[in-house]
C-alpha cells in the first residue's frame, strides 16, 4: 500500500504561502509542482486542477481543501501541502475559507491507489489535533514532519 509520506517532500511542504484567491492558490500549486518535477508543465497542472474544481469544490471543510487530479505525463502519484498566510474562499462544503491545502496528483490511469491516498489524507485531516499541529508548524520542514509523524502514529 502506498503511503502519503512517500509521495510528499519537504520541498513541496510550504508555510505562509500568499493566498489571494482560489485561482491564485491553484496557480501557485502548479508552479510549485512543475518547479520540483520539470517534466510536468505548470499550465497543464493548473488546467487539470481547475477542471477538477469545476466538477465540485475540493474544499473539504474545517479550513481544508484537497485539490487533486489525474495528470497526463505524471508517472507516479505526488503530493504537496501548503499552509496559506491568510484563508481564501474555496467554495468549501461548510462555507469556511481554506488555509490548509493537501494536493494530490496521480497518473492518468491511477484508480485504487488514488482513492487510497485520498482516504489517507481525509482521515488524517478529520482529526482536529492534526489540523492544529499543521497550522502551528512554523517552517516547511516542520510542516512536513507533522505529516510524517502523524502517518507513523505519533
Amino acid at each position: 500500500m502506498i503511503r502519503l509520506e512517500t509521495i510528499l517532500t519537504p520541498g513541496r511542504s510550504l508555510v505562509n504561502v500568499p493566498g489571494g484567491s482560489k485561482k491564485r492558490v491553484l496557480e501557485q500549486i502548479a508552479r510549485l509542482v512543475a518547479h520540483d518535477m520539470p517534466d510536468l508543465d505548470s499550465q497543464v497542472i493548473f488546467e487539470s486542477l481547475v477542471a477538477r474544481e469545476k466538477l465540485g469544490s475540493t474544499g473539504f471543510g474545517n479550513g481544508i481543501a484537497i485539490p487533486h487530479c489525474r495528470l497526463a505525463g505524471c508517472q507516479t502519484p505526488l503530493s504537496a501541502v501548503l499552509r496559506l498566510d491568510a484563508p481564501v474562499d474555496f467554495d468549501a462544503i461548510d462555507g469556511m475559507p481554506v488555509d490548509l491545502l493537501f494536493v494530490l496528483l496521480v497518473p492518468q490511469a491511477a484508480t485504487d491507489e488514488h482513492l487510497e491516498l485520498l482516504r489517507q489524507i481525509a482521515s488524517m485531516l478529520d482529526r482536529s489535533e492534526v489540523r492544529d499541529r499543521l497550522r502551528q508548524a512554523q517552517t516547511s520542514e516542520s510542516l512536513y514532519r507533522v505529516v510524517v509523524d502523524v502517518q507513523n502514529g505519533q
Side-chain angles (χ1 to χ4, degrees):
M1 182 183 87
I2 192 156
R3 286 168 58 88
L4 190 54
E5 69 198 51
T6 61
I7 64 168
L8 180 68
T9 65
R12 289 196 303 267
S13 305
L14 297 181
V15 297
N16 297 323
V17 176
S21 69
K22 182 174 180 173
K23 179 177 179 282
R24 287 229 2 210
V25 170
L26 295 175
E27 283 170 347
Q28 286 177 226
I29 290 167
R31 279 199 302 272
L32 169 68
V33 172
H35 177 76
D36 205 42
M37 308 290 285
D39 51 336
L40 297 176
D41 178 80
S42 68
Q43 190 60 34
V44 172
I45 297 168
F46 172 69
E47 287 167 7
S48 300
L49 288 169
V50 167
R52 170 59 191 82
E53 289 296 326
K54 285 183 176 151
L55 300 175
S57 175
T58 58
F60 175 81
N62 293 311
I64 290 159
I66 309 178
H68 59 280
C69 63
R70 294 169 191 267
L71 196 61
C74 181
Q75 300 305 313
T76 173
L78 62 99
S79 185
V81 60
L82 289 80
R83 198 185 75 229
L84 304 180
D85 62 357
V88 299
D89 179 22
F90 221 82
D91 310 309
I93 50 172
D94 62 358
M96 296 282 290
V98 162
D99 66 339
L100 278 175
L101 296 103
F102 256 85
V103 183
L104 180 63
L105 304 178
V106 295
Q108 200 75 55
T111 50
D112 293 352
E113 199 172 57
H114 176 190
L115 298 174
E116 169 57 28
L117 286 163
L118 282 172
R119 192 195 61 71
Q120 281 181 44
I121 294 169
S123 67
M124 179 173 75
L125 297 176
D126 235 11
R127 296 162 42 201
S128 62
E129 78 275 7
V130 173
R131 296 192 303 268
D132 291 344
R133 284 168 68 185
L134 291 166
R135 289 189 170 110
Q136 286 157 9
Q138 295 301 306
T139 65
S140 297
E141 180 62 42
S142 59
L143 188 66
Y144 173 74
R145 269 289 18 120
V146 170
V147 176
V148 173
D149 289 349
V150 167
Q151 285 270 291
N152 291 323
Q154 293 164 14

